């Protein structure tokens, strides 16, 4: 494996892991059973922009994809062992997907994509891309002009709330919306705490919901989770210390839930962490 910062770990087939070293544009499959690592080439039709950024993700059908900012979306081809440019989710002409704006809805078999010109919903059964300009189901969220203004992140939680973040104007602050299941009503109380706590510039980039519906939202200089008792988001400030509680971070790239972790070498004293404990992979500088 390269001597570089690891940004993402994505489980793939047979216990293998896709590792993303996006700063050096390298991706590979790591097999923990025999400690082998095999690079994944990027086979694009045209040159990737010099300042492009990358984000890998896996959909509900097990397909691994790669978002490339200012380029498009690639799919991992197992036979070729490569990310290929086959235009799997065709956006309208002139529209470009954002880096992190992807959410897969396995129940409705839809893929939500944030683009610079608005929100897109790819309907797998019909293989059609729905937008504000093509809305055959008359979806309220696609008719909502407010959330069409440069959305950057989208997430649907287990309560069927839809979270939509964006940057409506260049140089403006990031806006954060939460809509109910009808997509018509704004749930302003549900976003309490997201705009308080951090000092300085922040970017909310990712969502993660644990098995017990504990919602985490995180990114550049921010790590927050929803406190059900206080009914608001709680900001976890970056700090240093040796008490095994503080987390020293600048960017948080990925949150993964570890449902059962055991440690301790003494047979008479083993510690089992409860299911709500999470493992954080952080960018530390």
């Amino acid at each position: 494996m390269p001597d570089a910062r690891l940004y993402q770990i994505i489980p793939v087939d047979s216990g293998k892991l896709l590792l993303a070293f996006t700063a050096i544009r390298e991706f590979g499959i790591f097999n923990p059973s025999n400690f082998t690592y095999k690079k994944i080439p990027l086979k694009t039709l045209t040159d990737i922009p010099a300042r492009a950024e990358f984000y890998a993700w896996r959909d509900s059908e097990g397909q691994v994809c790669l978002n490339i900012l200012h380029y498009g979306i690639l799919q991992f081809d197992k036979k070729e062992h490569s990310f290929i440019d086959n235009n799997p989710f065709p956006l309208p002409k002139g529209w470009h997907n954002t880096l992190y704006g992807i959410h897969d809805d396995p129940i409705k078999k839809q893929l939500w994509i944030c683009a610079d010109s608005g929100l897109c919903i790819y309907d797998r059964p019909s293989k059609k891309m729905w937008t504000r300009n093509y809305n055959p189901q008359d979806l309220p969220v696609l008719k909502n002009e407010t959330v069409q203004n440069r959305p950057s992140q989208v997430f649907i939680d287990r309560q069927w709330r839809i979270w939509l973040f964006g940057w409506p104007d260049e140089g403006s602050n990031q806006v954060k919306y939460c809509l109910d299941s009808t997509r018509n009503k704004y749930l302003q109380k549900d976003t309490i705490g997201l705009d308080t706590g951090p000092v300085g510039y922040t970017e909310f980039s990712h969502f993660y919901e644990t098995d017990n519906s504990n919602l985490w939202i995180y990114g550049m200089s921010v790590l927050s989770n929803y406190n059900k008792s206080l009914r608001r988001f709680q900001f976890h400030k970056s700090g240093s210390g040796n008490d095994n509680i503080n987390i020293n971070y600048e960017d948080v790239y990925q949150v993964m839930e570890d449902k059962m972790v055991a440690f301790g070498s003494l047979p008479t004293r083993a510690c089992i962490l409860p299911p709500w404990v999470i493992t954080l992979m952080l960018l530390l500088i």
Side-chain angles (χ1 to χ4, degrees):
M1 289 186 291
D3 184 14
R5 179 173 296 145
L6 177 62
Y7 286 79
Q8 291 180 268
I9 300 175
I10 300 177
V12 289
D13 295 336
S14 304
K16 298 178 182 179
L17 303 172
L18 185 145
L19 307 182
F21 303 91
T22 56
I24 61 171
R25 299 189 175 193
E26 181 171 323
F27 306 86
I29 298 293
F30 173 69
N31 188 339
S33 65
N34 56 15
F35 292 92
T36 58
Y37 173 79
K38 186 177 181 181
K39 290 184 181 180
I40 302 174
L42 308 183
K43 295 184 177 180
T44 57
L45 300 178
T46 58
D47 292 337
I48 298 175
R51 295 189 177 184
E53 297 178 67
F54 303 82
Y55 178 69
W57 51 279
R58 180 179 177 178
D59 67 16
S60 58
E61 298 180 347
Q63 177 67 56
V64 178
C65 299
L66 181 66
N67 286 4
I68 304 179
L69 193 62
H70 305 308
Y71 184 91
I73 302 175
L74 307 184
Q75 275 191 323
F76 179 63
D77 188 294
K78 296 179 183 178
K79 293 183 179 180
E80 294 189 21
H81 191 78
S82 305
F83 278 112
I84 62 173
D85 190 352
N86 60 349
N87 193 24
F89 312 109
L91 297 176
K93 186 177 181 179
W95 290 38
H96 301 92
N97 59 283
T98 64
L99 185 60
Y100 305 120
I102 289 287
H103 179 77
D104 195 313
D105 183 349
I107 296 177
K108 294 186 177 181
K109 297 182 179 181
Q110 296 172 346
L111 186 70
W112 295 58
I113 304 174
C114 291
D116 53 2
S117 299
L119 184 65
C120 302
I121 301 177
Y122 180 74
D123 181 63
R124 286 192 171 95
S126 66
K127 296 183 179 181
K128 298 290 186 180
M129 185 69 75
W130 302 340
T131 66
R132 61 184 176 186
N133 300 325
Y134 176 70
N135 188 7
Q137 300 297 319
D138 200 31
L139 299 179
V141 70
L142 294 180
K143 296 166 61 177
N144 187 331
E145 289 298 326
T146 300
V147 300
Q148 298 297 320
N149 192 355
R150 297 181 64 185
S152 57
Q153 283 84 20
V154 59
F155 183 77
I156 303 174
D157 62 24
R158 290 190 179 92
Q159 299 181 46
W160 290 100
R161 295 175 300 184
I162 178 171
W163 301 80
L164 276 162
F165 294 177
W167 305 85
D169 299 304
E170 188 173 352
S172 65
N173 294 325
Q174 188 178 27
V175 295
K176 308 168 188 70
Y177 303 117
C178 180
L179 300 170
D180 69 353
S181 59
T182 68
R183 313 298 190 243
N184 285 314
K185 181 181 178 182
Y186 288 92
L187 304 175
Q188 296 181 355
K189 291 184 178 180
D190 292 30
T191 62
I192 293 176
L194 288 179
D195 291 319
T196 59
V199 177
Y201 182 79
T202 62
E203 287 186 16
F204 287 89
S205 302
H206 309 283
F207 299 83
Y208 184 80
E209 190 173 16
T210 65
D211 282 350
N212 65 349
S213 299
N214 190 359
L215 181 62
W216 292 78
I217 307 180
Y218 53 96
M220 181 183 294
S221 301
V222 65
L223 172 64
S224 299
N225 79 297
Y226 192 79
N227 189 312
K228 296 179 182 178
S229 299
L230 299 177
R231 296 183 180 180
R232 58 175 290 129
F233 278 93
Q234 179 179 353
F235 170 61
H236 299 275
K237 183 180 179 181
S238 173
S240 59
N242 56 3
D243 55 5
N244 296 324
I245 296 177
N246 289 313
I247 301 174
N248 186 15
Y249 68 89
E250 289 191 5
D251 283 16
V252 183
Y253 288 103
Q254 188 172 358
V255 171
M256 297 178 288
E257 182 178 14
D258 196 340
K259 301 176 183 179
M260 186 65 71
V261 178
F263 63 92
S265 58
L266 297 179
T268 57
R269 186 175 180 177
C271 180
I272 306 297
L273 298 182
W276 49 263
V277 172
I278 59 169
T279 300
L280 302 178
M281 184 171 72
L282 308 176
L283 164 61
L284 304 178
I285 300 177

